[in-house]
Amino acid sequence: MKKIGVGHASVSEIEKKYVLDALENERLSQGKYVSKFEKNFANEHDLKYGVMCNSGTTALQLALATLIETEKWDHNTEVLVPAITFIATSNACIHMGLKVKFVDVDPITYNMNPRELEKNISKNTKCIIPVHTFGMPCDMESIMEIAEKYNLRVIEDCAEAHFAKVNGKKIGSFGDMAAFSTYVAHTITTGIGGIVCTDNREYMEILRSLVAHGRACTCERCVASDGNQVCPKRLQTEIDRRFMFVRLGYSYRVGEIEGALGLAQLERKDEIMKKRHENAEYLIKNLEEFEDYIQLPKHPNNVEHTYMMFPIVVKERLNASRQEFVEHLEKRNIETRPMLPLLNQPIYKELFGNIEEQYPIAKMIDEKGFYIGCHHGMDKDDLDYVIENIKDFIKSHVFY
Ligand SMILES: Cc1ncc(COP(=O)(O)O)c(C=O)c1O
């Protein structure tokens, strides 16, 4: 029996053509495809600059490292992170030597609740990382108001919501920098990968240096050297400038194959987004009669949701647990995933103690939530099969 997964990567003739071209050019490290993807992906988010890297996690780390350098943050610096997110968001802060403070989330959007922010701000708080979970944008206008009031930097974690909008404005374009993952299940995928986008030229220069060992020169010729075009400054310094390092950087680069995949996917963006949107709307339309028993994705009219996943929260009136529900679906080959549980992860219990009770909404979502797919690889038969199985379960577990 076919498995209906939570994610999907479709490879069309365009991806094959671009990857083959990269291979035929015998250019495997950074070159024209990476540069073009960086520029086009950033521009699609109304931003000027993009720096590709090898994951969404390293995108976050690079953005944080840039602010550590420019803002001269020390190890007492606190970063506000939602209590529901993929563990990479908070891990990136910990790896960069910063302190994480969690903020409870909203029970409807599952995103960082702006009303919970201020009480978590201390004199050491320097940054907010709003995470647009499951394709649903955060309330960025309220978050930016608070960031401005307290002079906090903002890194948007856009891993799960490529191209989503608030009041017509693209997510990622509200804060100082935006970190994206292009891992397989994400809307635009490069297989494995990530990208940091920004409008700030100084940040871009630092990001580009950090991603490549801390290289001094970040000009196009040094970054994507094709052997023919030589940077005019290269041999004017004691150490060849292309191999001069001015900060402690990382090796987080990707190559042309990822760039070629990304560029092809970007050309198919509208097709991918349209299908995801139609699929999610179809699921909602066919399940809304059961909204007394399950909470379906909801968004205000001023927001464009991109439905990276389809989250469901089991309500009190359903006489069944989340566990029973997911077992029912899994047995029928419908894949489910927990809704980004964070504070109850064994490693976080070790690091932070038993703090779940302080975040009642996140705790409720951990206990009652799961998600299924609504991706562009699902057709009407798949959707009808999912709907039928959800309906069957609910009908056999309601109080009358
Ligand atoms: C919200 C969020 N942030 C960060 C990441 C990390 O991305 P990656 O797996 O590419 O490191 C993910 C991955 O799915 C994510 O969902």
Side-chain angles (χ1 to χ4, degrees):
M1 193 203 254
K2 179 180 171 189
K3 186 169 175 99
I4 301 182
V6 295
H8 172 72
S10 80
V11 176
S12 76
E13 290 308 312
I14 310 176
E15 280 85 348
K16 289 179 196 162
K17 183 170 154 221
Y18 287 2
V19 169
L20 198 63
D21 183 54
L23 292 174
E24 276 171 358
N25 286 337
E26 294 189 357
R27 173 86 204 170
L28 298 183
S29 58
Q30 288 200 320
K32 67 174 183 182
Y33 280 110
V34 171
S35 301
K36 215 163 170 197
F37 175 72
E38 289 179 333
K39 186 169 183 314
N40 292 3
F41 190 88
N43 292 169
E44 282 288 354
H45 289 89
D46 303 331
L47 292 165
K48 287 194 193 122
Y49 310 110
V51 176
M52 246 185 129
C53 53
N54 58 10
S55 71
T57 309
T58 56
L60 287 162
Q61 286 183 8
L62 291 168
L64 288 165
T66 300
L67 292 176
I68 288 171
E69 179 175 325
T70 53
E71 304 279 318
K72 305 197 175 11
W73 288 348
D74 61 21
H75 291 323
N76 293 318
T77 299
E78 289 170 3
V79 181
L80 300 175
V81 171
I84 290 281
T85 179
F86 185 59
I87 195 164
T89 315
S90 33
N91 279 356
C93 304
I94 299 168
H95 281 304
M96 297 315 297
L98 303 169
K99 293 205 162 78
V100 173
K101 252 193 168 175
F102 298 103
V103 177
D104 209 357
V105 295
D106 180 273
I108 308 294
T109 65
Y110 316 129
N111 284 334
M112 175 182 268
N113 187 340
R115 284 181 298 283
E116 295 288 318
L117 269 174
E118 276 187 289
K119 68 179 182 204
N120 286 295
I121 295 175
S122 77
K123 67 177 188 353
N124 290 323
T125 310
K126 305 286 183 217
C127 184
I128 309 176
I129 306 189
V131 183
H132 309 288
T133 52
F134 314 115
M136 170 75 189
C138 293
D139 176 355
M140 283 313 295
E141 284 160 3
S142 305
I143 292 173
M144 290 311 295
E145 220 171 88
I146 295 167
E148 272 156 36
K149 182 170 164 193
Y150 293 91
N151 191 25
L152 307 177
R153 303 278 67 78
V154 175
I155 299 170
E156 290 177 68
D157 185 337
C158 306
E160 300 188 1
H162 305 178
F163 318 112
K165 290 183 197 163
V166 183
N167 282 332
K169 187 169 159 61
K170 293 270 173 61
I171 56 115
S173 65
F174 288 87
D176 296 282
M177 278 176 273
F180 297 81
S181 168
T182 52
Y183 191 73
V184 196
H186 296 248
T187 305
I188 294 293
T189 182
T190 60
I192 293 178
I195 179 167
V196 196
C197 298
T198 182
D199 257 348
N200 183 313
R201 192 176 169 89
E202 184 193 2
Y203 291 164
M204 178 276 284
E205 299 263 352
I206 297 172
L207 290 163
R208 204 169 279 304
S209 168
L210 283 168
V211 78
H213 305 283
R215 177 179 273 166
C217 192
T218 57
C219 82
E220 185 84 4
R221 290 175 186 176
C222 284
V223 169
S225 161
D226 62 6
N228 297 322
Q229 298 228 329
V230 179
C231 169
K233 293 188 197 155
R234 254 192 79 179
L235 301 176
Q236 289 173 8
T237 38
E238 188 193 351
I239 304 171
D240 176 341
R241 209 169 137 76
R242 184 156 192 260
F243 299 96
M244 183 194 275
F245 303 99
V246 289
R247 52 177 60 78
L248 276 180
Y250 307 89
S251 183
Y252 286 168
R253 289 163 297 180
V254 284
E256 281 294 81
I257 293 179
E258 287 81 8
L261 277 170
L263 198 65
Q265 288 263 302
L266 207 48
E267 286 181 19
R268 298 176 54 218
K269 150 186 171 286
D270 292 340
E271 160 208 333
I272 294 171
M273 303 262 291
K274 182 167 177 278
K275 188 82 177 95
R276 280 178 180 269
H277 203 267
E278 281 169 5
N279 284 353
E281 296 285 314
Y282 187 79
L283 288 173
I284 292 170
K285 190 166 121 262
N286 285 281
L287 291 171
E288 60 193 0
E289 65 181 289
F290 297 105
E291 275 189 304
D292 283 346
Y293 307 103
I294 53 173
Q295 180 165 296
L296 299 169
K298 275 212 166 29
H299 62 86
N301 288 338
N302 66 336
V303 152
E304 271 182 42
H305 199 307
T306 52
Y307 297 110
M308 190 179 132
M309 303 101 169
F310 194 87
I312 291 176
V313 171
V314 176
K315 289 188 176 172
E316 286 301 324
R317 285 188 65 187
L318 191 71
N319 185 24
S321 67
R322 169 197 176 282
Q323 190 60 21
E324 288 168 295
F325 209 149
V326 301
E327 273 173 21
H328 172 89
L329 297 176
E330 293 275 351
K331 269 192 203 141
R332 287 154 185 82
N333 265 351
I334 299 165
E335 190 186 5
T336 65
R337 297 259 174 97
M339 264 170 73
L340 308 178
L342 186 67
L343 304 181
N344 57 354
Q345 294 290 352
I347 181 62
Y348 274 25
K349 285 196 169 178
E350 213 176 298
L351 292 174
F352 298 99
N354 289 319
I355 56 170
E356 264 192 290
E357 298 295 334
Q358 296 167 36
Y359 305 89
I361 306 297
K363 186 169 188 288
M364 177 279 288
I365 293 167
D366 289 343
E367 287 167 1
K368 309 264 183 203
F370 65 92
Y371 68 83
I372 56 172
C374 59
H375 54 77
H376 50 295
M378 288 170 74
D379 60 21
K380 186 169 175 300
D381 287 346
D382 298 329
L383 295 168
D384 286 336
Y385 179 74
V386 169
I387 290 162
E388 181 192 308
N389 280 293
I390 291 180
K391 281 186 176 178
D392 282 352
F393 183 79
I394 296 176
K395 281 180 183 162
S396 54
H397 291 85
V398 295
F399 292 121
Y400 286 105

